[in-house]
Amino acid sequence: MPNIELVYGLLPVMTAIKQGRRDIHGLYIQSRYEGDLERERLEEVVELADSMGVITQEVSRSSLDAVVANTVHQGVVLKTQRFPSPKIREMGEFVDGQHQITFSDDSVVAHQPRRKYPLWILLEGIQDSHNLGSIIRSALYFGVDGIMLGGQKFCRPTPAVSKASAGAMECMNIFKMTKVDRVLKNAKDVGWRVVCTTTRSSATVSNVAVGDLGELNSPTVLVLGSEDMGISEAVLDMSDSNVHISAQSETPSVLDSLNVNVAASILLAGLRMPKNAA
């Protein structure tokens, strides 16, 4: 069943059920409480599932271990539809407190930002599930409206990512894209600002510390690059501003940057954007 996947872990499972964004096909609970299983929280999951009409089945720990390849599941596995992450084709102009998103199938949705102006993250070529999950968790905490995944190769929003995000993935708008440069160009044409996170700068764009960037008084896409290659030249060429995180002391030459999920948290905490919608 190619469109079915198994979500595991207490927070991802509980959040997936509460959010109602996936079709749910069953809940599997460990039949015996062993070790450090949190009995009360497992019972809370069962009660939530019952209230939502989800069928629950008790199974052995070995059965759960087998279906999630011995990953830490905390005694609970949810059989669901794959996480919805449609392909985005275009970001619309921000007008009257909202903007439209057009997908590859020509469907359109209107989106209202969590702040005065929308803030989206573009992750170009992020392939590590832990990094992606951690970025999603930080993005949700700091009020990001959504995440776009692009590049030649990238990690999709899998159950492993949901677990790494402590369930935050289940609450986040996550879209894929095949033509990153085209989506960004169209966004810039209708007033979006592109901010790239990099130690490199083009000849025409200054590179400032995140604290010196100033307030972002426009819809913004914050771009972070892959773990090994960073942001592509094609995307850098479309940047309106480049930002970096300044080291606070002398560091060895082998350490010239932070892990991408750590960098994302620091950047999001440092960006200055009006918090309240107009």
Side-chain angles (χ1 to χ4, degrees), residues 91-169:
M91 303 283 284
E93 183 180 5
F94 182 59
V95 180
D96 296 330
Q98 66 178 15
H99 66 91
Q100 290 187 330
I101 300 170
T102 305
F103 298 103
S104 59
D105 62 359
D106 293 327
S107 61
V108 179
V109 297
H111 181 80
Q112 292 183 323
R114 299 172 67 189
R115 305 172 184 238
K116 184 175 181 180
Y117 300 102
L119 173 63
W120 285 72
I121 290 178
L122 167 58
L123 301 177
E124 189 186 24
I126 300 297
Q127 299 182 44
D128 183 85
S129 60
H130 179 77
N131 281 339
L132 179 54
S134 296
I135 292 170
I136 292 171
R137 183 175 183 175
S138 296
L140 187 66
Y141 184 84
F142 286 110
V144 171
D145 293 290
I147 292 176
M148 298 178 285
L149 306 174
Q152 292 186 344
K153 294 181 180 179
F154 56 86
C155 178
R156 72 174 185 86
T158 63
V161 175
S162 188
K163 185 67 162 61
S165 75
M169 187 186 92

Side-chain angles (χ1 to χ4, degrees), residues 47-260:
E47 290 177 2
L48 175 63
D50 287 344
S51 71
M52 303 291 286
V54 178
I55 298 175
T56 302
Q57 181 180 347
E58 290 191 0
V59 298
S60 66
R61 176 175 178 175
S62 60
S63 295
L64 292 183
D65 289 344
V67 297
V68 296
N70 291 310
T71 305
V72 177
H73 50 69
Q74 298 176 292
V76 58
V77 173
L78 189 69
K79 186 177 182 181
T80 76
Q81 172 197 32
R82 275 191 174 186
F83 184 84
S85 55
K87 290 183 180 179
I88 189 171
R89 192 175 71 202
E90 190 173 282
M91 303 283 284
E93 183 180 5
F94 182 59
V95 180
D96 296 330
Q98 66 178 15
H99 66 91
Q100 290 187 330
I101 300 170
T102 305
F103 298 103
S104 59
D105 62 359
D106 293 327
S107 61
V108 179
V109 297
H111 181 80
Q112 292 183 323
R114 299 172 67 189
R115 305 172 184 238
K116 184 175 181 180
Y117 300 102
L119 173 63
W120 285 72
I121 290 178
L122 167 58
L123 301 177
E124 189 186 24
I126 300 297
Q127 299 182 44
D128 183 85
S129 60
H130 179 77
N131 281 339
L132 179 54
S134 296
I135 292 170
I136 292 171
R137 183 175 183 175
S138 296
L140 187 66
Y141 184 84
F142 286 110
V144 171
D145 293 290
I147 292 176
M148 298 178 285
L149 306 174
Q152 292 186 344
K153 294 181 180 179
F154 56 86
C155 178
R156 72 174 185 86
T158 63
V161 175
S162 188
K163 185 67 162 61
S165 75
M169 187 186 92
E170 307 298 328
C171 307
M172 179 59 71
N173 296 308
I174 301 177
F175 304 134
K176 296 175 289 189
M177 61 171 67
T178 55
K179 298 183 178 179
V180 173
D181 51 348
R182 188 175 72 179
V183 173
L184 283 183
K185 181 181 184 304
N186 290 341
K188 284 170 62 71
D189 287 345
V190 295
W192 287 75
R193 180 179 183 181
V194 176
V195 177
C196 287
T197 306
T198 179
T199 58
R200 295 174 290 161
S201 292
S202 70
T204 58
V205 177
S206 62
N207 191 328
V208 300
V210 63
D212 298 327
L213 185 61
E215 191 167 73
L216 299 179
N217 289 311
S218 63
T220 299
V221 177
L222 175 67
V223 186
L224 292 99
S226 66
E227 293 90 347
D228 55 347
M229 300 298 293
I231 300 172
S232 66
E233 292 296 335
V235 172
L236 275 176
D237 286 344
M238 285 185 284
S239 181
D240 296 301
S241 306
N242 289 344
V243 296
H244 65 268
I245 299 167
S246 301
Q248 300 301 305
S249 63
E250 292 289 332
T251 57
S253 59
V254 294
L255 181 63
D256 63 351
S257 63
L258 295 168
N259 182 287
V260 65

Side-chain angles (χ1 to χ4, degrees), residues 17-31:
I17 295 173
K18 288 179 179 178
Q19 290 297 309
R21 301 173 70 180
R22 303 172 180 249
D23 292 334
I24 297 175
H25 302 283
L27 175 67
Y28 301 96
I29 296 289
Q30 186 171 316
S31 56

